[in-house]
Amino acid sequence: MGCVHSTEEGSSKRKSLKSRASRISVAIKIGSGIRKSRVHSTSKKIVCIFGGPKSGKGEVIEELVESFGVKVVCAESLIVASLSKKLGNIGNKNGEGKPDTATLLTHLRSNPGTVTLDWVLDLIKTEILKYPDSVHVIDLLPNSKVIFRDQSLFKNAAELLQKFEEACPVAFAMHLYIDKENLNRQLDTAKHLSTPEGCMAPGGISDEADLEVTKKRHAFFEEALMPVRNYFKESDRLIEVDVSSMSKEKIWFKVVRMFASFNMSERQNNNLIVIFVKDPETVRALIEFWCH
């Protein structure tokens, strides 16, 4: 017998789940040590952003670039570029002087101590100092499982970040997180709505399996980044954004309003913008953003 991926009842329940998720608010906790005066007076406007799986970190960073013209310093890109230069064309099949992905992964697996936090922070510092007057957003967490395979990467974060800030003071850090209760609730719902036993959802993986993987990666991430989070929290420079709603529009409106209040922008934009929208939820979000 064939597998039925979707039924009218299952579709209705999924719509109900999405509706409940859309009603979850985007809560933001701003550390008491973050003041507009501090951000404005900081010679180097630097923000550190980190977020685990499904946090929407990539989308938030893209929007910050588009709206504020900030420069992104991506730890993973710097690591790959540095290793590529170091390894040259060893094992390279395309002859362009850069090792292919397989060569990089093999090197990292064979040399697990290659990537250290002090080395990564030194790469980031060098990149920031190329444009000292710009607003920088640091994407600190490598997404690659091969690069970020060991939770000890951030073990000595407090000491190393303090040294890093002597040259590159950070205005604040932003933690995009998914509330554990909401993540567990989504997992329970996915189990309830899962496809019949032995059948896979379209794409080769069920919602339940996907959320189980997300849950494990989320737990790994939160534990690994705890020293970094605690470092900024102890100085009251941590902004925590609950992204459990999974609503890109809601999350972005909250974040952009906060960045605007801190004057974290590379450009001045006095253009008149006219926006045409039909979706009532988007209209409400726009009204909330501009009127509060």
Side-chain angles (χ1 to χ4, degrees):
M1 294 179 63
C3 297
V4 179
H5 297 301
S6 177
T7 64
E8 186 174 341
E9 180 182 3
S11 177
S12 176
K13 289 181 178 178
R14 284 184 173 84
K15 288 180 180 178
S16 177
L17 173 62
K18 290 182 179 180
S19 177
R20 289 198 299 271
S22 68
R23 291 196 294 269
I24 299 175
S25 62
V26 180
I28 295 184
K29 296 180 181 178
I30 301 179
S32 61
I34 302 172
R35 298 286 183 269
K36 294 181 182 180
S37 58
R38 172 184 171 79
V39 176
H40 290 166
S41 64
T42 303
S43 57
K44 297 179 179 65
K45 294 181 180 179
I46 303 171
V47 177
C48 183
I49 295 183
F50 40 89
K54 307 289 187 182
S55 67
K57 178 189 67 174
E59 289 86 350
V60 168
I61 291 177
E62 287 180 6
E63 292 288 358
L64 290 176
V65 172
E66 180 68 23
S67 298
F68 296 100
V70 302
K71 293 188 180 300
V72 179
V73 182
C74 176
E76 181 169 323
S77 297
L78 293 176
I79 291 169
V80 172
S82 181
L83 288 178
S84 297
K85 185 177 181 180
K86 178 180 178 181
L87 295 175
N89 58 3
I90 298 176
N92 183 25
K93 297 179 181 179
N94 57 28
E96 296 179 358
K98 293 183 179 180
D100 52 27
T101 302
T103 303
L104 286 174
L105 297 183
T106 299
H107 175 79
L108 289 171
R109 288 193 182 100
S110 303
N111 302 272
T114 299
V115 179
T116 61
L117 184 58
D118 56 340
W119 176 59
V120 173
L121 289 176
D122 192 54
L123 292 175
I124 292 173
K125 179 176 68 175
T126 300
E127 189 67 19
I128 288 176
L129 294 179
K130 290 179 182 178
Y131 309 95
D133 298 323
S134 296
V135 178
H136 292 87
V137 170
I138 301 174
D139 183 358
L140 186 61
L141 176 67
N143 292 319
S144 171
K145 293 181 181 179
V146 178
I147 296 176
F148 187 35
R149 62 189 301 181
D150 189 349
Q151 289 182 329
S152 65
L153 177 62
F154 298 102
K155 184 172 61 176
N156 300 320
E159 178 183 350
L160 295 173
L161 283 169
Q162 187 173 7
K163 182 179 179 182
F164 170 80
E165 288 201 90
E166 292 176 2
C168 302
V170 178
F172 58 86
M174 186 187 304
H175 178 203
L176 306 175
Y177 73 96
I178 301 175
D179 181 75
K180 288 183 180 179
E181 291 185 6
N182 282 312
L183 189 61
N184 289 331
R185 192 177 301 115
Q186 290 180 45
L187 182 58
D188 290 339
T189 304
K191 288 179 180 179
H192 180 67
L193 300 177
S194 59
T195 56
E197 187 175 356
C199 300
M200 297 300 292
I205 186 169
S206 67
D207 289 343
E208 179 183 351
D210 186 38
L211 280 168
E212 281 285 7
V213 172
T214 298
K215 186 177 179 180
K216 290 179 180 178
R217 290 186 63 203
H218 183 268
F220 175 87
F221 165 82
E222 291 296 333
E223 184 176 348
L225 261 290
M226 189 64 72
V228 178
R229 179 178 175 275
N230 289 343
Y231 172 78
F232 288 104
K233 192 174 183 66
E234 287 174 4
S235 59
D236 292 320
R237 289 181 293 154
L238 181 66
I239 295 176
E240 296 181 282
V241 183
D242 184 351
V243 296
S244 302
S245 69
M246 301 294 181
S247 170
K248 294 180 181 179
E249 291 81 7
K250 287 184 178 180
I251 294 168
W252 170 237
F253 284 136
K254 290 279 188 177
V255 172
V256 73
R257 184 168 60 187
M258 180 185 61
F259 258 70
S261 70
F262 289 148
N263 194 31
M264 301 294 284
S265 179
E266 279 284 296
R267 59 170 71 108
Q268 294 295 327
N269 189 352
N270 297 318
N271 294 328
L272 174 65
I273 301 175
V274 180
I275 304 175
F276 296 92
V277 292
K278 294 182 179 180
D279 177 40
E281 184 174 336
T282 303
V283 173
R284 286 193 295 270
L286 284 169
I287 293 174
E288 179 187 355
F289 169 67
W290 291 114
C291 297
H292 295 280

